Amino acid sequence: MSAGTVRPPVVPRQVLTARTAVAVVFGLNGLAVASWFARVPAARDALGLTPGRLGLLLLALSAGALLALPSAGILAQRLGTARTVGTATGVAALGLALAGVATGSWQAIPAVAVGLFALGYGSGTCEVAMNVEAAAVERRLGRTVMPRFHAAWSLGTVAGAIVGAGSARFGVPIGLHLGLAAVAMLAGTLPAVRLFLPDRATPPSRSRSGPTRGTGTLAAWREPRTLLIGLLLLVMAFTEGTANDWLALAFVDGHRVSDAVGALAFGVFVAAMTVGRTAGTIALDRWGRVPVLLGTLVLAAFGATVAVLAGPWQLAMAGVLLWGLGTSLGFPLGMSAAADQEDRAAARVSVVAAIGYTAFLAGPPLVGLLGDRVGSLRALLVVPLLLLPALLLVPATRPPADARPEPVGGRSEPVGGRSEPGGRSEPGGRSVPVSSPGDPTAGGAG
């Protein structure tokens, strides 16, 4: 081997196994949530709800998730990610099963609300803990994989929607369907969490400002970088949620297309999101987090504008494709940025998730109010209007100078970094270490 050659790191089998386990947990979480949403029309009919009362019922799910997020980081720190995900999955599965039985057999709205609250609380807690575990796996792999975990969640939602549509088509009772989905969620998640990375005691802070800085959730709420990342996640969640909630309807009303074409628009968006999260890691490892985020946010803003203003619906569909690709990386990379320092990852992920998820409460009524004035299609222009100023928030995702990756195969590198001669900084502020095989030196990004 020549003197200038750097041997690629050998990733321990335990890390590769944990990577697969985390992907399974993400996918099953998405499947469970989508299973309920796929049966919302059946639940509305069984309970005899008006659109307004149905909206109030669905708030129980959002309320459970939002209440879970502030405490989820504390649970992950004290119990470890594996126990937190396992316990939260049990709560979510019980809630999903209760919502199904209460809808199909009892027609008891209060019981359905309790079930949805438990589903939201369990899923919200799981959301934080599994992202913390995903970030730990990403650090040990030494390359960007967080978007692929979120792609697994997207694939889980697609699977849940397909199974839900089939269950509705063939008349499977909603209680049986959601009960089986709950069992599948538990049966897959509980064995998977046993393969997570071993929980370790929270290490002392490695911040250059000293080890006495707070590592709890309250301290994280006072960190400017964490709050800026949370605001970025708020915009990205709004961008994604607006497409999920309004895109199909906006195409039907604004572009005067059939319901099938409207559904196709939603499908194109989801497919583009999944592809972007799967393939986007290549760009991230080449150019780094900040340049890629800047490019994808501009792409999303351009795509959303084309989707609204284009004349032919086929051209508007191309805009939807760009919108989905541009949106795909924002949320997972925000989560990854919040977890850059392992000793504070749980608290920071909890904070940014709490900020970001408020978009799922505020977004639908905001777009709806705009739609009453300018039409549902034109109301979607709020997306690029928020994305463009959000470009100013992207530099906050640059890894802090004291964020050190975990050693992999005897040396450590920044996540998504490449070893190159000279130890120069790559685009996005990533410092690239120069090390011989076995040298643990790692350059701090800053």
Side-chain angles (χ1 to χ4, degrees):
M1 181 179 293
S2 64
T5 302
V6 177
R7 189 182 346 183
V10 177
V11 180
R13 182 179 297 273
Q14 183 184 50
V15 177
L16 298 177
T17 301
R19 179 189 62 184
T20 302
V22 172
V24 168
V25 170
F26 267 83
L28 289 173
N29 186 272
L31 183 143
V33 174
S35 295
W36 162 254
F37 281 113
R39 301 308 298 269
V40 165
R44 177 198 61 192
D45 295 340
L47 299 172
L49 298 174
T50 64
R53 295 184 68 193
L54 176 61
L56 290 175
L57 179 63
L58 294 178
L59 278 178
L61 180 67
S62 299
L66 286 175
L67 287 175
L69 294 174
S71 62
I74 298 173
L75 290 175
Q77 282 182 320
R78 294 183 178 179
L79 301 180
T81 54
R83 291 176 62 188
T84 301
V85 170
T87 303
T89 298
V91 173
L94 287 174
L96 182 62
L98 175 60
V101 172
T103 298
S105 301
W106 305 341
Q107 286 82 50
I109 295 176
V112 177
V114 171
L116 291 180
F117 182 88
L119 174 60
Y121 191 91
S123 295
T125 302
C126 192
E127 172 81 15
V128 171
M130 67 187 185
N131 273 285
V132 172
E133 179 68 17
V137 171
E138 184 178 59
R139 278 190 296 272
R140 285 156 179 79
L141 286 173
R143 56 190 175 87
T144 308
V145 292
M146 180 69 83
R148 294 189 176 181
F149 293 134
H150 285 256
W153 191 90
S154 298
L155 290 174
T157 62
V158 171
I162 291 173
V163 173
S167 298
R169 172 66 178 82
F170 293 105
V172 177
I174 186 171
L176 176 61
H177 168 214
L178 297 186
L180 291 175
V183 170
M185 185 187 189
L186 272 178
T189 300
L190 294 183
V193 297
R194 297 178 181 177
L195 302 176
F196 279 11
L197 296 172
D199 287 320
R200 301 182 301 178
T202 301
S205 173
R206 293 173 290 189
S207 170
R208 292 177 185 177
S209 60
T212 60
R213 283 182 59 179
T215 60
T217 303
L218 290 179
W221 278 102
R222 297 191 294 269
E223 297 172 349
R225 177 178 182 264
T226 300
L227 297 179
L228 290 174
I229 293 172
L231 289 176
L232 178 62
L233 257 66
L234 176 68
V235 175
M236 299 315 300
F238 180 85
T239 302
E240 181 180 344
T242 298
N244 290 336
D245 292 334
W246 294 100
L247 191 56
L249 179 64
F251 258 66
V252 171
D253 291 349
H255 289 299
R256 307 297 181 186
V257 297
S258 65
D259 288 353
V261 174
L264 176 63
F266 172 70
V268 168
F269 179 82
V270 173
M273 286 269 294
T274 304
V275 170
R277 287 173 171 175
T278 303
T281 56
I282 299 173
L284 287 162
D285 287 337
R286 182 174 179 83
W287 292 299
R289 188 186 289 163
V290 172
V292 171
L293 270 178
L294 289 172
T296 53
L297 261 66
V298 171
L299 185 66
F302 176 74
T305 303
V306 171
V308 174
L309 300 181
W313 68 263
Q314 294 88 345
L315 181 58
M317 197 71 75
V320 172
L321 177 66
L322 298 179
W323 184 354
L325 288 173
T327 306
S328 61
L329 297 176
F331 202 89
L333 289 186
M335 288 289 191
S336 186
D340 274 333
Q341 293 168 294
E342 187 165 6
D343 55 337
R344 300 177 195 158
R348 288 172 173 169
V349 169
S350 177
V351 169
V352 300
I355 297 172
Y357 270 72
T358 58
F360 294 119
L361 280 180
L366 172 61
V367 177
L369 289 173
L370 290 174
D372 287 340
R373 293 180 175 271
V374 300
S376 58
L377 182 64
R378 295 279 177 172
L380 300 184
L381 288 174
V382 70
V383 169
L385 290 177
L386 287 176
L387 282 172
L388 292 179
L391 293 171
L392 299 175
L393 301 172
V394 171
T397 66
R398 182 176 289 117
D402 54 353
R404 294 290 189 270
E406 294 293 327
V408 177
R411 71 184 175 92
S412 37
E413 297 180 35
V415 172
R418 295 175 296 156
S419 296
E420 294 190 5
R424 62 180 178 84
S425 293
E426 291 192 272
R430 297 177 301 147
S431 177
V432 182
V434 175
S435 58
S436 61
D439 181 1
T441 304

